[in-house]
Each structure stands twice: as C-alpha cells, then as structure tokens.
Amino acid sequence: MIETPYLLFLGDAPDQLAAKVAQGIKDWRPENAVGQFRMDGCKADMKLADMDLAAAKAAGAKTLVVGVANRGGVISQAWKKVLVNALEEGFDLASGLHNLLRDEPDLVAVAEATGRKLHDVRIPSVKYPIANGVKRSGKRMLAVGTDCSVGKMYTALAVDESLRKMGAKSTFRATGQTGILITGGGVPLDAVIADFMAGSIEYLTPDNDDDHWDLIEGQGSLFHVSYSGVTLALVHGGQPDALMLCHEPTREHMRGLPDYQLPTLEALRDTALPLARVANPACEVVGISINTQHMGEDEALSYMAEVEKRMGLPTADPYRQGADRLAEALLAL
Amino acid sequence: MIETPYLLFLGDAPDQLAAKVAQGIKDWRPENAVGQFRMDGCKADMKLADMDLAAAKAAGAKTLVVGVANRGGVISQAWKKVLVNALEEGFDLASGLHNLLRDEPDLVAVAEATGRKLHDVRIPSVKYPIANGVKRSGKRMLAVGTDCSVGKMYTALAVDESLRKMGAKSTFRATGQTGILITGGGVPLDAVIADFMAGSIEYLTPDNDDDHWDLIEGQGSLFHVSYSGVTLALVHGGQPDALMLCHEPTREHMRGLPDYQLPTLEALRDTALPLARVANPACEVVGISINTQHMGEDEALSYMAEVEKRMGLPTADPYRQGADRLAEALLAL
C-alpha cells in the first residue's frame, strides 16, 4: 500500500486532461490530497493549495504522486529535479507511468540512499495465485462495459460512495493504475501474466462480511477484441453477484478499432450474464450506468428514460445524477 | 533450438494428465524421445523404456525435457537432484514451467560450470503488439474445449496432419509449452502479459495465402474460471473462420475445480460462436473432436454417433480414428 496523504505532482501538464490521475484523487479521495505541486507552465489546476515540498511536508504529506501523464508516459528530465528533491525531503514517490520510476538509475540511487520507496503501480508487486473458483463470502459488483473507457471506474467509485453514505459496508477495488493511485492499492490487471489474471481478482476481493459489497472496477469489454480476455478474467475471478452495465451512447466505433461497432446493451447483458453465472449462478444484472458527457441535459435524460424502460433496469449517469439509485438496486438484491 | 533427442522427465507425476507435455512429444515426435525417467511414486507412463541418466546418455539423448507439470508450474525440491545430476551428466535441460530453470540459482550455477543450456520455452521471446483487430487473409481454425486438457492440442495437430496429407496448405500454431517443444515455435500464451494476449495471437497467425489454414492450439476453456480470459484472447486474437469443439465425456467436474460442472457441447457452441463472430462474422462451428481415451471402443463409437446426430456436425476422436473427416469439414467451408 502507498502511504497517504499525498502531494499531487502536476508537473508541466499541458492541459487539465493530462492531469486526470490527480483529478481522480482529488474528486474521490480529497482527504488523501493535502496540496498540489505545479511547475512553471503548468496548465492544470486541481483547485488545491499550491505547495512546495517543505510546505507539503509540514502539512503531513507522505508521498509525492505523479498525477500527470506526458505523451508516451515518459518521466521528463524537467521533472527529475523535483522527484529527486522529494526523495531527499523524505517523500516516497508513486507513479502509474509506463516509464517506471525503478528504471531511472538516479531515482533508484537517491531512494536507496534516503530509505524512501518508489511505487510503480503499473506493474504488479504481488505474486498472485491461480484462481481456484471457490465461493467467497460477501457480495461483489462488477462494472462491465460495451467498450473501453465508458465510465466503469467512475461508476464503481460512485456506487461505493453512495453505499457508504447510506451506511452500507463497501470497498472500491481498483484494477487499473488510476484507481490504485486514488485508493492506495489494487491490482494492475492489464500488466498481470495471463494465467494469474483471474487469481489476482480473487486475491483482490477476498472473503468478507455477508453484507459487505466489493465494487470492482472493470477493464476493457467482452466485445473489445484487444482486451476481452482481461474482461473475462474479471467476470470469472470476481464471481460477481451483480453486474452494472456501462455505456457511452455517442461512441461511433469501438475505441481504437474503427471497423468494430459497439454492441447493444441487450447484447452486453446477454453475453456477460451467462458467463458470470458460470462462476456465480446467482448473478444478476442490476442497473445501467450511462456516460452522457457528450449529450445535453434534455437529450441525456430522455435517452436514459428510454433505456430504463427498454431494459427494465434502473438507469443513471452517476456523474450528472449521483449513483444512489444504482446503489439501492444493489442493496435490494 | 533445443538439441534432440530427448529423455522425458516424468518426475513424481500424480496422474497421466500431469505428464501431457511428455505425452505430446511421444505421440507427435516419437523419434525425439529415447526414453522416460520416472521417480518413486510416478503415476504416469509413456510406455517408453525407463532409463536412468547414464542409460539415456548411452542411447544418445541430448536434452532432459521436463515432461510433467505441477499445479502452479513449480520446480519441486524432489526434482532438483535429478535435474542437477542431468546437467552434470552432460544433458541440457528444457522446461515449459512457470517456475523458470533460470530462476533456480543451483541449476544456473551447475549449468554454467558444465557448459550446459537451460531452455525455458515458456518465456515469450518477442515483444508482442496490442491487437488491432484488422481482418487478415488466409483461413484459421481454433480448437475450443468444454474444459482444460480435453484434447485441443491433439485435435489441432491431427487436423494439420490430415490437411497436409490431403495436399492442403496448413500450419499448426502452438500456444503452449508442449506445442512449442514439439514444433520449435509458437506463443507461450499463458505467460504473456494480459494486455498483449490477443496481439500475440494476431502475431502468431499473420496474413497468409487465401487457401492456407492455420490450426490454432486452444488453451483453457471459456467455462474454466481460472483460465477463461486466456481462451477469449485466442477467440478474438485468432479471428477464426472455424471452431472445432473439443470434449472429454467422462470428466466428472472441471479440471482442478471440484465445484464446477462441465458445460454441454451445445452450451460451448452457443457461447463460443457469438463471441468469435465479434472478430469474424463468418465464423462457423465445423466439427466436434471427442477424447474417448477413457471409453471402450463400442461405447466410444456409440457416444460419437449420438453426438453427431444431436449436433448435426462431423464428430470424431482424432486419436482413435484420425482427423480426416474433421479436415474435410474445414476444406468444405
């Protein structure tokens, strides 16, 4: 686990979108973010206090989190001085970049000299077991999508927040680097060796109280030919009691695959549910989460009303409307 | 490549299935196997001459091949003494286990001291791309199973042999360590990083002549919760034109999963075909391969006749009967 709270490093982010890791932390675990560190020319702003390393240290920050991605996921030389200083000042470093902290000899040398930790959340730090399929106690929800990047992480985080607000027991379970940095732990599933994918999800979502919900972040899509195997490992390793269907209605083709159309929500339901029931015969589809960020308010509401009627399931955009109705559907199961 | 012929190491295999690597080599390249080495308690038997290291050396064996797999792919301490002795006696070692020969300091030390080679065929030797889903020329068949270890590799090897005997263009494409040890090339799919699984299969089965068939070895099962993600990566990365359903009728539960029943052949067809059509809308199920090794002749023939009638597809056991009828079904597509 990564020590919290964090100082969020925004570097020289060219725009707000480049700092989406920092945005996720600020939105979902604001208590983990004591401030932001921005270099000259930074165009992103989390509306947190701007702090230098000494001020963040005085405010209790333990880890400097790289909350920004460069083109190519590279650690730029412009950042290096700050990262080295942070280690010298007593911070651990955490990053989800492809360019690993541990592959930078100067960072490794300073971390060793100062006794600080380098957390590369993109690669696994655990030797996961092979899945055994044994039924686990507690409840689990998995977000499954018609495509990649349709809001599965956002949905799981929002349902987790709603459940906890209602006094229910729940835990968001991260399966990607942004989710891991937000919560401080999880499985970087896309970097796990094939044979251990499902086992890593069993490890991530162990036995729990009968009334506890794990909200498992989805990855990929059963219909996305590049990543569908990762998705099926989540469906079988997670042995979900509940599936939440996630969709972005304005997408014109599968992400990165111009020749592939998105499936309908019906096709997603009819494909995912029988597969999920292999691992958990009691599994049900409980609701639908729509990402309406590219729709106007009226268009979004009328689209969701139509889907809700057609599918006979609670339908909401957690970003516009909150996830309380989706959380209630889980509790009613 | 690996020097032949081999001495097949069966270790303390708990049953015949645990030694399927050795079985595959013995069945498909018998000229490469001069004998077998069995430890006390070994329950597998390839019906080869039992030899100690000196006898195998005298018979010309160059490499000791680990022909047995433990759950989790571990090199047990019980095996170590034999492997070390083999290096000292002048054998190279070859293994497809997850637990790499090169990660065992004692084996590495003895191999260096004796000038012998350690071949870990499980290690990917290529940086695979992420799958792009683009339609490729040539034809592809994928063997899919109701369970693990039901005969998918045998089926693909046998259909390949039948096609070549008929003068058709075909290539067996290995996706596991046994197939790689048999043919000298392939993708060790279960050791590939999750994000690159489907891409590795696109790489393995590139554009080819329009009348050329790739016979792709299957892995796992869409219904086996430990490995189903690996299987779906094959279905989508392979973009098969033809699926061959593989089944072992006497299996009482999914391999390694006592609480899981095998699906019916109908369930396999109805699950695999729609998923395959995401990547190749023209895909068809063309035949059924039954592993009848635990059935008597009459029982096997009457079972296959019943399946053929019920499913309306050519049904055969390639081991008992050859794969000509299954190969003809491909050519008729």
Side-chain angles (χ1 to χ4, degrees):
Chain A
M1 291 290 291
I2 301 165
E3 272 204 273
T4 56
Y6 305 148
L7 174 62
L8 302 183
F9 177 71
L10 307 189
D12 46 4
D15 55 30
Q16 193 75 3
L17 208 57
K20 69 174 186 173
V21 170
Q23 188 75 56
I25 295 167
K26 194 262 185 172
D27 288 345
W28 294 106
R29 294 292 185 273
E31 69 276 19
N32 284 352
V34 303
Q36 62 185 6
F37 186 108
R38 300 195 293 165
M39 293 167 56
D40 286 347
C42 181
K43 301 287 201 305
D45 184 1
M46 296 302 124
K47 314 288 188 201
L48 292 167
D50 283 298
M51 293 183 180
D52 62 15
L53 295 170
K57 194 74 192 164
K62 308 281 195 212
T63 303
L64 182 82
V65 171
V66 177
V68 55
N70 278 347
R71 272 174 94 91
V74 170
I75 297 169
S76 78
Q77 286 306 314
W79 297 358
K80 262 303 177 50
K81 192 170 164 223
V82 180
L83 301 184
V84 166
N85 285 349
L87 290 167
E88 290 168 344
E89 296 288 328
F91 291 86
D92 291 341
L93 301 183
S95 162
L97 298 177
H98 281 290
N99 181 170
L100 304 181
L101 298 170
R102 71 188 64 175
D103 288 343
E104 299 296 305
D106 45 356
L107 295 181
V108 171
V110 179
E112 280 175 4
T114 56
R116 305 319 313 166
K117 289 189 183 135
L118 303 179
H119 296 281
D120 286 302
V121 304
R122 186 167 289 275
I123 58 174
S125 54
V126 170
K127 189 162 160 38
Y128 301 114
I130 287 179
N132 64 22
V134 173
K135 176 72 182 162
R136 306 193 292 289
S137 55
K139 299 280 189 191
R140 286 160 197 85
M141 183 203 88
L142 174 66
V144 293
T146 51
D147 193 2
C148 300
S149 307
V150 293
K152 295 184 295 292
M153 182 187 77
Y154 196 97
T155 299
L157 281 161
V159 172
D160 172 50
E161 186 169 271
S162 288
L163 283 174
R164 285 189 286 113
K165 205 173 56 190
M166 293 170 186
K169 299 175 190 167
S170 85
T171 309
F172 169 76
R173 300 296 190 182
T175 62
Q177 68 268 15
T178 304
I180 294 171
L181 287 171
I182 289 173
T183 61
V187 167
L189 184 59
D190 61 7
V192 172
I193 297 286
D195 247 8
F196 302 94
M197 292 187 299
S200 76
I201 303 305
E202 292 188 349
Y203 171 94
L204 180 68
T205 61
D207 281 322
N208 215 316
D209 296 344
D210 288 341
D211 59 347
H212 177 277
W213 279 94
D214 275 337
L215 291 312
I216 308 173
E217 179 188 359
Q219 294 293 333
S221 166
L222 292 169
F223 291 84
H224 195 295
V225 297
S226 308
Y227 308 116
S228 54
V230 181
T231 311
L232 188 52
L234 276 159
V235 170
H236 282 163
Q239 54 183 230
D241 302 273
L243 295 176
M244 192 72 70
L245 309 185
C246 301
H247 184 53
E248 202 280 67
T250 70
R251 197 69 63 86
E252 289 180 356
H253 58 73
M254 296 294 282
R255 189 166 166 81
L257 304 175
D259 297 335
Y260 288 78
Q261 298 306 299
L262 270 71
T264 61
L265 282 161
E266 287 87 343
L268 176 60
R269 176 194 64 201
D270 296 344
T271 300
L273 188 58
L275 287 167
R277 284 180 173 168
V278 170
N280 185 348
C283 187
E284 298 287 352
V285 176
V286 294
I288 299 171
S289 175
I290 305 290
N291 177 345
T292 64
Q293 67 176 317
H294 298 302
M295 301 170 105
E297 181 81 3
D298 289 351
E299 185 189 12
L301 292 178
S302 97
Y303 176 83
M304 288 191 282
E306 184 273 319
V307 168
E308 177 147 346
K309 188 174 169 199
R310 202 178 85 216
M311 301 289 291
L313 290 165
T315 301
D317 180 338
Y319 187 80
R320 276 181 197 258
Q321 305 168 306
D324 287 359
R325 290 185 63 229
L326 303 178
E328 283 159 9
L330 284 192
L331 295 179
L333 200 65
Chain B
M1 275 313 296
I2 302 165
E3 272 203 273
T4 56
Y6 305 147
L7 174 62
L8 302 183
F9 176 71
L10 308 190
D12 46 3
D15 56 30
Q16 194 76 3
L17 266 180
K20 71 174 185 173
V21 170
Q23 188 77 56
I25 294 166
K26 190 260 184 173
D27 288 341
W28 295 102
R29 295 290 186 276
E31 67 276 17
N32 284 351
V34 301
Q36 62 186 8
F37 186 108
R38 301 196 293 166
M39 293 167 55
D40 287 345
C42 181
K43 302 287 200 305
D45 183 1
M46 295 305 122
K47 314 289 187 198
L48 292 167
D50 283 297
M51 293 183 179
D52 62 15
L53 296 170
K57 195 74 193 165
K62 307 281 193 214
T63 301
L64 182 80
V65 172
V66 178
V68 56
N70 283 343
R71 193 171 167 83
V74 171
I75 295 170
S76 79
Q77 285 306 313
W79 296 357
K80 261 302 174 55
K81 193 174 163 219
V82 180
L83 301 184
V84 167
N85 285 348
L87 290 167
E88 289 167 345
E89 296 288 327
F91 291 87
D92 290 342
L93 300 183
S95 162
L97 298 177
H98 277 292
N99 181 169
L100 305 182
L101 300 169
R102 72 187 68 170
D103 286 345
E104 299 297 304
D106 44 359
L107 296 181
V108 171
V110 179
E112 281 176 3
T114 56
R116 307 320 312 165
K117 287 187 185 141
L118 304 179
H119 297 282
D120 287 302
V121 303
R122 180 173 295 273
I123 297 297
S125 52
V126 170
K127 190 163 157 40
Y128 301 114
I130 286 178
N132 64 23
V134 173
K135 176 73 180 162
R136 307 194 289 291
S137 55
K139 299 280 189 192
R140 284 158 200 88
M141 183 203 87
L142 174 67
V144 293
T146 51
D147 194 2
C148 301
S149 307
V150 293
K152 296 183 296 291
M153 184 189 73
Y154 263 70
T155 300
L157 280 161
V159 172
D160 172 50
E161 189 169 85
S162 288
L163 283 174
R164 284 187 286 112
K165 204 174 57 190
M166 293 170 185
K169 299 176 191 168
S170 85
T171 309
F172 169 76
R173 299 296 190 182
T175 62
Q177 68 270 18
T178 308
I180 295 170
L181 283 167
I182 291 171
T183 63
V187 167
L189 183 58
D190 59 9
V192 172
I193 297 287
D195 249 7
F196 303 95
M197 293 186 299
S200 75
I201 302 306
E202 292 188 347
Y203 173 93
L204 180 67
T205 61
D207 280 323
N208 215 316
D209 295 345
D210 287 342
D211 59 347
H212 176 277
W213 279 94
D214 274 337
L215 292 310
I216 308 174
E217 179 189 359
Q219 294 294 331
S221 166
L222 293 169
F223 291 83
H224 195 295
V225 297
S226 308
Y227 309 116
S228 55
V230 181
T231 312
L232 188 52
L234 277 159
V235 171
H236 283 163
Q239 57 182 226
D241 301 274
L243 296 175
M244 193 72 71
L245 309 186
C246 300
H247 184 52
E248 202 281 65
T250 70
R251 197 69 62 85
E252 289 180 354
H253 58 74
M254 295 295 282
R255 185 161 168 80
L257 305 176
D259 297 335
Y260 289 77
Q261 298 307 300
L262 270 72
T264 62
L265 283 161
E266 287 87 344
L268 175 60
R269 175 194 65 201
D270 296 343
T271 299
L273 189 57
L275 287 167
R277 286 180 172 169
V278 170
N280 185 347
C283 187
E284 298 286 352
V285 176
V286 294
I288 299 172
S289 175
I290 305 289
N291 176 345
T292 65
Q293 67 176 318
H294 298 302
M295 301 171 107
E297 181 80 4
D298 291 349
E299 185 189 12
L301 292 178
S302 100
Y303 176 83
M304 288 190 283
E306 184 272 318
V307 167
E308 177 147 347
K309 188 174 169 198
R310 202 178 83 216
M311 301 288 291
L313 290 165
T315 300
D317 181 337
Y319 191 74
R320 274 183 197 258
Q321 305 170 304
D324 287 359
R325 290 185 64 230
L326 303 178
E328 282 159 9
L330 283 192
L331 295 180
L333 199 64

